[in-house]
Amino acid sequence: MAKTNSGRFFEDYSLGQVIEHAVPRSVGAGERALYHALYPARHALYSSDEFARASGLPQSPLDDLAAFHVVFGKTVPDVSLNAVANLGYAEGRWLRPVYAGDTLRSSSEVIGLKQNSNGKTGVVYVRTRGVNQRDEVVMEYVRWVMVRKRDIDAPAPETVVPELSKVIDPADLVIPEGLNFSNYDFGQAGEDHRWDDYEVGETIDHVDGVTLEEAEHMMATRLWQNTAKVHFDATFRPDGQRLIYGGHIISLARALSFNGLANAQMIVGLNGGAHANPAFSGLTVKAWSEVLDKAETSAPGVGAIRLRLVATKGGAPFELKGDDGKYLPDVLLDLDYWALMPT
Amino acid sequence: MAKTNSGRFFEDYSLGQVIEHAVPRSVGAGERALYHALYPARHALYSSDEFARASGLPQSPLDDLAAFHVVFGKTVPDVSLNAVANLGYAEGRWLRPVYAGDTLRSSSEVIGLKQNSNGKTGVVYVRTRGVNQRDEVVMEYVRWVMVRKRDIDAPAPETVVPELSKVIDPADLVIPEGLNFSNYDFGQAGEDHRWDDYEVGETIDHVDGVTLEEAEHMMATRLWQNTAKVHFDATFRPDGQRLIYGGHIISLARALSFNGLANAQMIVGLNGGAHANPAFSGLTVKAWSEVLDKAETSAPGVGAIRLRLVATKGGAPFELKGDDGKYLPDVLLDLDYWALMPT
Amino acid sequence: MAKTNSGRFFEDYSLGQVIEHAVPRSVGAGERALYHALYPARHALYSSDEFARASGLPQSPLDDLAAFHVVFGKTVPDVSLNAVANLGYAEGRWLRPVYAGDTLRSSSEVIGLKQNSNGKTGVVYVRTRGVNQRDEVVMEYVRWVMVRKRDIDAPAPETVVPELSKVIDPADLVIPEGLNFSNYDFGQAGEDHRWDDYEVGETIDHVDGVTLEEAEHMMATRLWQNTAKVHFDATFRPDGQRLIYGGHIISLARALSFNGLANAQMIVGLNGGAHANPAFSGLTVKAWSEVLDKAETSAPGVGAIRLRLVATKGGAPFELKGDDGKYLPDVLLDLDYWALMPT
């Protein structure tokens, strides 16, 4: 098996190391349609080229989460093939829309390392950047994963845990060039609620539910060239279940959030996120949101809104953690992001 | 839940009301490929740009039924979210082909209202129009649905039941500009049978069968941004089954009808249709057709043929209704449409 | 049923007969994205337009196997609708890349006929050619199938068994015009192993596994307009299972082979292939390869490598046949092909 990639283990990472991930990917009309087939996505900016143009963009960009998935997918063979757990995200920013015809590459810099006290695993922190064919950074984010050691006798590296912002300062959010919501058509977008209508602390039950299917999560995960075998091989886990890629749940919950947040058009910041419990085929996913913050932006008619997006597989909306501070068993996802909304 | 859309109830409709449906949609190469992946579609005009050009069109249009599904999907949040039943279609006409790059919007006018005698529900008649980015109407149709009342004490509206044509007069069918079947290549189209070869009353068993899958009907239905939860949420119905969007059965039956009607290239009129019984995953759908009428058109080499298309989940072909005049339990769909065929 | 196609039977073929298959097909961005959603395809030349341009091509071509499937799919109604078994492939060559916007047609010439001794079936040999809208041949291959007779009393044709090359002479492989791997980026391609690093006789376990789903193989098979009912209709076989199109296993195995053969970029020759055992939903497919031969080419930096690609549904890698010379029950596919690789 000398020629196959068995992935990196904890001792293969070193601080400051930059990994150029393989297999650049061109995206276009096919990825766009598939995103609409796989998720109940309805945000008008991504559905209608005309709506995007009326908002100052040349056409509909690739869905922000699809861009994230492509960039993320490339990192899997190098970062998470031997990961025990995906521990968190921080400092995610979308820096430039991705359009049909663009080709994306990813690279990751190791910004932190910490061996666990059991000596068998360690935590690796990477800052990943996605760039297009013009070498423009289209997005970046930090994630940290727990990775197995190949050799438990390998010496522990010096512990470096990066200081990460809990929340992206709204002043650091990048608004796509030309974005203008001054003439925003609320009727076409689907809801009348504007930035002014949302209050910090407000919660929204997105009502709808979608039952997960093996064929759908596998097609979605493959589309982003994410190759982690646990998503595809029913013989990999003792229980015969395929673990669903966490990003599938993110996209599903975001699409469900249209109902109540139809005007939270563009995602520009990812403050943090946790895949609270694993998701499997047959579960029915629902979603709720909480308004965490609001901020003005310099773009005409554009406000920023910070949202908590929670995906569940049951239970009542708005319940997140138990008395022990742990996520309730029905919670699948707790995501904290900034979106742009007409004021 | 103030910010989520809980749909309109019977008393929210008024005669003459025009509802502009939300979320315009751009279509392109992705929708075209997905249509071929989801349905066994083989009509040459939609499969080959070269065949379309040889027929006088600039390229292959989006499948006529895909155009219908996009226009229809937009109406769901406003018309059928609280519908108990989809009762019928009439006066459907395709007025202009939809091409890659087009962006579609829909609006519906309330043309009839009739409260049911139980006082709990009523029938709403709407005429829906789909327009492209140049505000050209691409299709229109009437449908009527039974909708719940929010408040059973709300007063009944004046009963208005629109007079609807049972059949579209062939003179009112719109032939796409430039369509010309004078040099039609029957070999490339797949069958030799021309308009002259079909006789009124003739029946055709389309032979092939396709077994329904959850992932496929959900992807199809999402692709058209149809959000009715009964199609996606296995917890919605007490029996745990997801009801399949009726349009999925229409597209499947039409694609199956290639075998025997390969030259019924374009659908231009929808005279009526009934979803006779609900469809669920695991059923195997077959189809048969009956020639109901024929008419000449003004376009070179182009004839119109009126067809009954029946989808079944079993039983013998050509059996439609029992002695009681009701659809047999194996019948899923009874559709009456006009298509264009080389003479 | 006079108007439906019931397929050709053995006695409907005659030596030298040329069948022009119906329904030309235009391909584009949608087919490309679906191929990536349905298979874990990662070869950089097909994933990235930039990588393709750096290799001397105008953009990424349609995956070579997708081109094969489109050409093959058209032949099904004329060649294999009444086939009992798909017996083999030979002399397959890819002659010209297929690009978005191309429209493909197929034709087949009957090059051999042999009635079986039971008098009920016969073997038909056809050479199939796929051409684009400029009438340029994009690929050709020979396949032979066992076909039922309609009338077992029909006289046997003269037996003609064509002489077929066991292996395509590397001098006969067609290298796409302009292909140049002189500046090949191994980092972006995903692996460092070049043509020089592979030795004849070397075997590679591709490690990953993918579990088969009904919705996925049906969508894939429909996408190529392959209409053989055994793939779609769960009522067709007594055991209620849908037989999976052999080409689905070919594409799946080829995509899995990325892990260890990431630089085997383009497929240019199909020496032979056997679908050793039928595949059904629920099985988990793994793959291994063996290097059978190597050859130089005239293109800069481009070598040819002959590979055996084996797909299995279990068992150990590198085991192919039992002591009786028959394929082991876990073997699904044994394919012999030429690929192009950077030297």
Side-chain angles (χ1 to χ4, degrees):
Chain A
M1 283 197 269
K3 287 202 169 66
T4 56
N5 173 25
S6 54
R8 280 178 172 76
F9 291 86
F10 182 64
E11 60 266 42
D12 299 327
Y13 297 94
S14 59
L15 201 70
Q17 182 183 15
V18 175
I19 304 169
E20 300 284 344
H21 305 298
V23 190
R25 171 66 172 273
S26 302
V27 295
E31 284 74 13
R32 179 182 183 171
L34 269 164
Y35 199 83
H36 281 92
L38 291 163
Y39 305 108
R42 286 187 283 160
H43 287 89
L45 196 71
Y46 301 87
S47 178
S48 164
D49 288 331
E50 304 297 324
F51 195 96
R53 282 192 266 274
S55 303
L57 302 182
Q59 63 181 99
S60 289
L62 187 69
D63 192 281
D64 306 310
L65 291 175
F68 169 74
H69 295 318
V70 171
V71 171
F72 180 102
K74 317 231 139 303
T75 72
V76 168
D78 296 312
V79 175
S80 43
L81 215 58
N82 297 305
V84 183
N86 196 34
L87 297 173
Y89 306 101
E91 300 186 357
R93 294 191 307 161
W94 281 257
L95 301 172
R96 191 176 286 268
V98 176
Y99 292 106
D102 282 357
T103 299
L104 302 184
R105 291 173 288 124
S106 302
S107 64
S108 296
E109 182 182 352
V110 179
I111 60 167
L113 288 169
K114 181 177 177 300
Q115 182 165 311
N116 286 326
S117 54
N118 64 14
K120 295 178 181 168
T121 55
V123 178
V124 180
Y125 296 79
V126 294
R127 187 180 304 275
T128 296
R129 285 191 179 85
V131 301
N132 65 19
Q133 69 280 12
R134 290 179 299 276
D135 290 322
E136 299 161 338
V137 183
V138 298
M139 82 162 305
E140 60 176 20
Y141 64 91
V142 172
R143 101 168 144 133
W144 53 108
V145 293
M146 192 188 301
V147 179
R148 268 188 287 272
K149 292 177 74 174
R150 182 189 292 107
D151 170 12
I152 60 167
D153 295 327
E158 189 188 358
T159 293
V160 175
V161 175
E163 269 190 53
L164 298 169
S165 308
K166 288 260 179 277
V167 179
I168 298 163
D169 186 322
D172 293 333
L173 298 175
V174 175
I175 314 297
E177 200 182 321
L179 191 73
N180 183 335
F181 284 160
S182 303
N183 297 308
Y184 191 91
D185 186 332
F186 288 86
Q188 288 301 310
E191 291 180 354
D192 288 334
H193 331 304
R194 52 179 72 226
W195 184 81
D196 290 324
D197 297 327
Y198 288 88
E199 286 181 28
V200 175
E202 181 176 352
T203 54
I204 302 156
D205 178 3
H206 300 301
V207 182
D208 300 315
V210 171
T211 304
L212 298 169
E213 291 292 323
E214 298 285 14
E216 292 184 354
H217 79 78
M218 292 204 303
M219 288 182 68
T221 308
R222 264 188 224 108
L223 188 57
W224 322 124
Q225 296 175 308
N226 177 334
T227 60
K229 61 185 74 168
V230 73
H231 306 317
F232 301 104
D233 180 346
T235 69
F236 187 70
R237 287 168 55 99
D239 64 4
Q241 289 194 288
R242 276 160 274 178
L243 181 70
I244 292 179
Y245 164 48
H248 188 62
I249 306 302
I250 295 177
S251 278
L252 186 49
R254 157 72 174 167
L256 287 170
S257 78
F258 176 91
N259 200 342
L261 284 167
N263 296 317
Q265 290 285 356
M266 303 192 87
I267 300 184
V268 287
L270 176 63
N271 298 307
H275 299 291
N277 284 290
F280 299 101
S281 176
L283 299 177
T284 296
V285 176
K286 299 197 171 190
W288 57 269
S289 292
E290 179 184 357
V291 180
L292 296 177
D293 201 1
K294 293 171 64 178
E296 296 184 349
T297 82
S298 58
V302 179
I305 186 166
R306 184 181 158 209
L307 294 159
R308 175 196 298 280
L309 172 62
V310 176
T312 69
K313 57 178 176 179
F318 315 135
E319 294 183 358
L320 190 63
K321 293 181 177 178
D323 294 338
D324 57 2
K326 291 185 178 165
Y327 284 111
L328 293 171
D330 279 340
V331 173
L332 297 174
L333 172 75
D334 179 15
L335 199 78
D336 179 341
Y337 71 102
W338 283 106
L340 301 179
M341 200 177 243
T343 54
Chain B
M1 285 199 268
K3 287 202 169 67
T4 55
N5 173 25
S6 54
R8 280 177 170 76
F9 291 86
F10 182 65
E11 60 265 44
D12 299 328
Y13 298 93
S14 59
L15 201 71
Q17 182 183 13
V18 175
I19 304 169
E20 300 284 344
H21 306 298
V23 190
R25 171 66 171 274
S26 302
V27 295
E31 283 73 14
R32 178 181 184 173
L34 270 163
Y35 199 83
H36 281 90
L38 291 162
Y39 305 108
R42 287 188 283 162
H43 287 90
L45 195 72
Y46 302 87
S47 178
S48 165
D49 289 329
E50 304 297 326
F51 194 97
R53 281 192 268 273
S55 303
L57 303 183
Q59 63 182 100
S60 289
L62 187 68
D63 191 281
D64 306 309
L65 291 175
F68 169 74
H69 295 318
V70 170
V71 171
F72 181 101
K74 316 233 139 302
T75 71
V76 169
D78 296 312
V79 174
S80 43
L81 216 56
N82 297 305
V84 183
N86 196 36
L87 298 173
Y89 305 101
E91 299 185 0
R93 295 192 305 161
W94 280 258
L95 303 171
R96 190 176 287 267
V98 176
Y99 293 106
D102 281 358
T103 299
L104 303 183
R105 290 173 289 124
S106 302
S107 65
S108 296
E109 182 183 352
V110 178
I111 61 168
L113 288 169
K114 180 176 179 300
Q115 182 164 312
N116 287 327
S117 54
N118 63 15
K120 294 177 181 169
T121 56
V123 177
V124 180
Y125 296 79
V126 294
R127 187 181 303 274
T128 296
R129 285 190 179 86
V131 301
N132 65 19
Q133 69 279 11
R134 290 179 298 277
D135 290 322
E136 299 160 340
V137 183
V138 298
M139 79 162 304
E140 61 177 18
Y141 63 91
V142 171
R143 101 169 146 131
W144 52 109
V145 293
M146 192 188 302
V147 179
R148 268 188 285 274
K149 293 177 73 175
R150 182 189 291 107
D151 170 12
I152 60 166
D153 296 329
E158 189 189 356
T159 292
V160 175
V161 174
E163 270 191 53
L164 298 169
S165 308
K166 288 261 181 275
V167 179
I168 298 164
D169 186 322
D172 293 332
L173 297 174
V174 175
I175 315 296
E177 200 182 318
L179 191 73
N180 183 335
F181 284 159
S182 304
N183 298 307
Y184 192 91
D185 186 331
F186 289 85
Q188 288 300 310
E191 290 180 354
D192 287 334
H193 330 304
R194 52 179 71 228
W195 183 82
D196 289 324
D197 298 327
Y198 289 88
E199 287 182 28
V200 175
E202 180 176 353
T203 54
I204 302 156
D205 178 3
H206 301 301
V207 182
D208 300 314
V210 172
T211 305
L212 298 169
E213 291 291 322
E214 299 284 16
E216 291 185 353
H217 79 79
M218 293 204 302
M219 287 183 68
T221 308
R222 264 188 223 110
L223 189 57
W224 323 124
Q225 296 176 310
N226 177 334
T227 61
K229 62 185 75 170
V230 73
H231 305 317
F232 301 104
D233 181 346
T235 69
F236 187 71
R237 288 169 54 99
D239 64 5
Q241 288 194 289
R242 276 160 273 179
L243 181 70
I244 292 180
Y245 164 49
H248 188 62
I249 305 301
I250 295 177
S251 279
L252 186 49
R254 157 73 173 163
L256 287 171
S257 78
F258 176 90
N259 200 343
L261 284 167
N263 296 319
Q265 289 285 356
M266 305 192 85
I267 301 184
V268 288
L270 176 63
N271 298 308
H275 299 291
N277 284 290
F280 298 101
S281 176
L283 299 176
T284 297
V285 176
K286 298 197 173 192
W288 57 269
S289 293
E290 179 184 358
V291 180
L292 298 176
D293 201 0
K294 292 170 66 178
E296 296 184 349
T297 83
S298 58
V302 179
I305 186 165
R306 183 182 159 209
L307 295 158
R308 175 197 298 278
L309 173 62
V310 176
T312 69
K313 56 177 175 180
F318 315 135
E319 297 184 356
L320 190 63
K321 293 180 177 178
D323 294 338
D324 56 2
K326 291 186 179 165
Y327 285 111
L328 294 171
D330 278 339
V331 174
L332 298 174
L333 172 76
D334 179 15
L335 199 78
D336 180 340
Y337 70 102
W338 283 106
L340 301 180
M341 201 177 242
T343 53
Chain C
M1 282 198 269
K3 286 202 170 64
T4 55
N5 172 26
S6 54
R8 280 177 171 77
F9 291 86
F10 182 66
E11 60 265 43
D12 299 328
Y13 297 93
S14 58
L15 202 70
Q17 182 184 15
V18 175
I19 305 169
E20 299 284 343
H21 306 298
V23 189
R25 170 68 171 273
S26 302
V27 295
E31 283 73 15
R32 178 182 184 171
L34 270 163
Y35 199 82
H36 281 91
L38 291 163
Y39 305 108
R42 287 187 282 160
H43 287 90
L45 195 72
Y46 302 86
S47 178
S48 164
D49 289 330
E50 304 298 325
F51 194 96
R53 281 192 267 273
S55 303
L57 303 181
Q59 63 181 100
S60 288
L62 187 68
D63 191 281
D64 307 308
L65 291 174
F68 169 74
H69 296 319
V70 171
V71 170
F72 181 101
K74 316 233 138 303
T75 71
V76 169
D78 297 313
V79 175
S80 44
L81 216 57
N82 297 306
V84 182
N86 196 34
L87 297 174
Y89 306 101
E91 300 186 358
R93 294 193 305 161
W94 281 258
L95 302 171
R96 192 175 285 268
V98 176
Y99 293 107
D102 281 358
T103 299
L104 302 183
R105 291 174 287 124
S106 302
S107 65
S108 297
E109 182 182 352
V110 179
I111 60 167
L113 289 169
K114 179 177 181 300
Q115 182 165 312
N116 287 326
S117 54
N118 64 14
K120 295 178 180 169
T121 55
V123 178
V124 180
Y125 296 78
V126 294
R127 187 180 303 274
T128 296
R129 286 191 179 84
V131 301
N132 65 20
Q133 70 280 10
R134 290 179 298 276
D135 289 323
E136 299 160 339
V137 183
V138 298
M139 81 163 302
E140 60 176 19
Y141 63 91
V142 172
R143 99 168 146 132
W144 53 108
V145 294
M146 192 188 302
V147 179
R148 267 187 289 271
K149 292 178 73 174
R150 183 189 291 106
D151 170 12
I152 60 166
D153 295 327
E158 188 190 358
T159 292
V160 176
V161 174
E163 269 190 55
L164 298 168
S165 308
K166 287 261 180 276
V167 179
I168 298 164
D169 186 322
D172 293 333
L173 298 175
V174 175
I175 314 296
E177 200 181 319
L179 190 73
N180 182 335
F181 284 159
S182 303
N183 297 306
Y184 192 90
D185 186 333
F186 288 86
Q188 288 299 311
E191 290 180 355
D192 288 334
H193 329 305
R194 52 178 71 226
W195 184 81
D196 290 323
D197 298 328
Y198 289 87
E199 286 181 30
V200 174
E202 181 176 352
T203 54
I204 302 157
D205 178 3
H206 301 302
V207 182
D208 300 314
V210 171
T211 304
L212 298 169
E213 292 291 323
E214 299 283 16
E216 292 185 353
H217 79 79
M218 292 204 303
M219 288 182 68
T221 308
R222 265 188 222 108
L223 188 58
W224 321 125
Q225 297 175 309
N226 177 333
T227 60
K229 60 185 74 168
V230 73
H231 305 316
F232 301 105
D233 181 345
T235 68
F236 187 71
R237 287 167 55 98
D239 64 3
Q241 290 194 287
R242 276 159 274 179
L243 181 70
I244 292 179
Y245 164 49
H248 188 61
I249 306 301
I250 295 178
S251 278
L252 186 48
R254 156 73 174 165
L256 287 170
S257 78
F258 176 90
N259 200 343
L261 284 166
N263 296 319
Q265 288 287 355
M266 305 192 86
I267 299 183
V268 287
L270 177 63
N271 299 308
H275 299 291
N277 284 289
F280 298 101
S281 176
L283 299 176
T284 296
V285 177
K286 299 198 172 189
W288 58 268
S289 292
E290 179 184 357
V291 179
L292 297 177
D293 201 0
K294 292 169 68 178
E296 295 184 351
T297 83
S298 58
V302 179
I305 186 166
R306 184 181 159 210
L307 294 158
R308 175 196 297 282
L309 173 62
V310 176
T312 69
K313 57 178 176 177
F318 316 135
E319 296 183 357
L320 189 63
K321 292 182 177 176
D323 294 337
D324 56 1
K326 291 187 179 165
Y327 285 111
L328 294 171
D330 278 340
V331 173
L332 298 173
L333 171 75
D334 179 15
L335 199 78
D336 180 341
Y337 70 103
W338 282 106
L340 301 179
M341 200 178 245
T343 52

PDB file of all heavy atoms in Angstrom, chain A residues 75-86:
ATOM      1  N   THR A  75      -9.279  19.649   2.148  1.00  0.00           N
ATOM      2  CA  THR A  75      -8.400  19.491   3.312  1.00  0.00           C
ATOM      3  C   THR A  75      -8.507  18.097   3.933  1.00  0.00           C
ATOM      4  O   THR A  75      -7.628  17.711   4.706  1.00  0.00           O
ATOM      5  CB  THR A  75      -8.746  20.509   4.416  1.00  0.00           C
ATOM      6  OG1 THR A  75      -9.995  20.152   5.039  1.00  0.00           O
ATOM      7  CG2 THR A  75      -8.857  21.923   3.862  1.00  0.00           C
ATOM      8  N   VAL A  76      -9.583  17.383   3.611  1.00  0.00           N
ATOM      9  CA  VAL A  76      -9.853  16.117   4.312  1.00  0.00           C
ATOM     10  C   VAL A  76      -8.710  15.108   4.190  1.00  0.00           C
ATOM     11  O   VAL A  76      -8.266  14.551   5.199  1.00  0.00           O
ATOM     12  CB  VAL A  76     -11.207  15.532   3.856  1.00  0.00           C
ATOM     13  CG1 VAL A  76     -11.390  14.098   4.338  1.00  0.00           C
ATOM     14  CG2 VAL A  76     -12.347  16.417   4.346  1.00  0.00           C
ATOM     15  N   PRO A  77      -8.171  14.854   2.981  1.00  0.00           N
ATOM     16  CA  PRO A  77      -7.113  13.843   2.890  1.00  0.00           C
ATOM     17  C   PRO A  77      -5.876  14.210   3.710  1.00  0.00           C
ATOM     18  O   PRO A  77      -5.145  13.329   4.137  1.00  0.00           O
ATOM     19  CB  PRO A  77      -6.777  13.816   1.393  1.00  0.00           C
ATOM     20  CG  PRO A  77      -7.985  14.358   0.710  1.00  0.00           C
ATOM     21  CD  PRO A  77      -8.559  15.368   1.647  1.00  0.00           C
ATOM     22  N   ASP A  78      -5.671  15.507   3.948  1.00  0.00           N
ATOM     23  CA  ASP A  78      -4.460  15.938   4.658  1.00  0.00           C
ATOM     24  C   ASP A  78      -4.699  16.229   6.137  1.00  0.00           C
ATOM     25  O   ASP A  78      -3.763  16.205   6.928  1.00  0.00           O
ATOM     26  CB  ASP A  78      -3.903  17.213   4.000  1.00  0.00           C
ATOM     27  CG  ASP A  78      -3.440  16.967   2.578  1.00  0.00           C
ATOM     28  OD1 ASP A  78      -2.719  15.984   2.357  1.00  0.00           O
ATOM     29  OD2 ASP A  78      -3.815  17.751   1.690  1.00  0.00           O
ATOM     30  N   VAL A  79      -5.930  16.544   6.490  1.00  0.00           N
ATOM     31  CA  VAL A  79      -6.180  17.003   7.861  1.00  0.00           C
ATOM     32  C   VAL A  79      -7.023  16.030   8.667  1.00  0.00           C
ATOM     33  O   VAL A  79      -6.737  15.771   9.834  1.00  0.00           O
ATOM     34  CB  VAL A  79      -6.852  18.406   7.856  1.00  0.00           C
ATOM     35  CG1 VAL A  79      -7.234  18.839   9.265  1.00  0.00           C
ATOM     36  CG2 VAL A  79      -5.935  19.435   7.211  1.00  0.00           C
ATOM     37  N   SER A  80      -8.041  15.464   8.054  1.00  0.00           N
ATOM     38  CA  SER A  80      -8.985  14.754   8.916  1.00  0.00           C
ATOM     39  C   SER A  80      -9.209  13.293   8.542  1.00  0.00           C
ATOM     40  O   SER A  80     -10.125  12.658   9.038  1.00  0.00           O
ATOM     41  CB  SER A  80     -10.318  15.513   8.978  1.00  0.00           C
ATOM     42  OG  SER A  80     -10.731  15.985   7.734  1.00  0.00           O
ATOM     43  N   LEU A  81      -8.312  12.722   7.720  1.00  0.00           N
ATOM     44  CA  LEU A  81      -8.509  11.313   7.362  1.00  0.00           C
ATOM     45  C   LEU A  81      -8.372  10.416   8.600  1.00  0.00           C
ATOM     46  O   LEU A  81      -9.056   9.408   8.729  1.00  0.00           O
ATOM     47  CB  LEU A  81      -7.493  10.905   6.294  1.00  0.00           C
ATOM     48  CG  LEU A  81      -7.985   9.898   5.249  1.00  0.00           C
ATOM     49  CD1 LEU A  81      -9.196  10.412   4.496  1.00  0.00           C
ATOM     50  CD2 LEU A  81      -6.886   9.602   4.246  1.00  0.00           C
ATOM     51  N   ASN A  82      -7.504  10.807   9.529  1.00  0.00           N
ATOM     52  CA  ASN A  82      -7.333  10.029  10.755  1.00  0.00           C
ATOM     53  C   ASN A  82      -7.874  10.774  11.970  1.00  0.00           C
ATOM     54  O   ASN A  82      -7.456  10.530  13.099  1.00  0.00           O
ATOM     55  CB  ASN A  82      -5.853   9.696  10.950  1.00  0.00           C
ATOM     56  CG  ASN A  82      -5.351   8.823   9.817  1.00  0.00           C
ATOM     57  OD1 ASN A  82      -5.918   7.774   9.554  1.00  0.00           O
ATOM     58  ND2 ASN A  82      -4.317   9.272   9.119  1.00  0.00           N
ATOM     59  N   ALA A  83      -8.778  11.701  11.713  1.00  0.00           N
ATOM     60  CA  ALA A  83      -9.328  12.492  12.814  1.00  0.00           C
ATOM     61  C   ALA A  83     -10.322  11.653  13.601  1.00  0.00           C
ATOM     62  O   ALA A  83     -11.100  10.889  13.039  1.00  0.00           O
ATOM     63  CB  ALA A  83     -10.003  13.739  12.265  1.00  0.00           C
ATOM     64  N   VAL A  84     -10.255  11.792  14.909  1.00  0.00           N
ATOM     65  CA  VAL A  84     -11.220  11.150  15.791  1.00  0.00           C
ATOM     66  C   VAL A  84     -12.455  12.029  15.933  1.00  0.00           C
ATOM     67  O   VAL A  84     -13.571  11.549  16.074  1.00  0.00           O
ATOM     68  CB  VAL A  84     -10.576  10.915  17.180  1.00  0.00           C
ATOM     69  CG1 VAL A  84     -11.522  10.180  18.099  1.00  0.00           C
ATOM     70  CG2 VAL A  84      -9.251  10.194  17.043  1.00  0.00           C
ATOM     71  N   ALA A  85     -12.222  13.329  15.877  1.00  0.00           N
ATOM     72  CA  ALA A  85     -13.335  14.261  16.062  1.00  0.00           C
ATOM     73  C   ALA A  85     -12.985  15.603  15.450  1.00  0.00           C
ATOM     74  O   ALA A  85     -11.822  16.011  15.435  1.00  0.00           O
ATOM     75  CB  ALA A  85     -13.638  14.427  17.548  1.00  0.00           C
ATOM     76  N   ASN A  86     -14.003  16.257  14.913  1.00  0.00           N
ATOM     77  CA  ASN A  86     -13.914  17.613  14.412  1.00  0.00           C
ATOM     78  C   ASN A  86     -14.333  18.499  15.581  1.00  0.00           C
ATOM     79  O   ASN A  86     -15.487  18.493  15.981  1.00  0.00           O
ATOM     80  CB  ASN A  86     -14.887  17.760  13.232  1.00  0.00           C
ATOM     81  CG  ASN A  86     -14.619  18.977  12.399  1.00  0.00           C
ATOM     82  OD1 ASN A  86     -13.474  19.385  12.232  1.00  0.00           O
ATOM     83  ND2 ASN A  86     -15.680  19.580  11.888  1.00  0.00           N
TER      84      ASN A  86
END
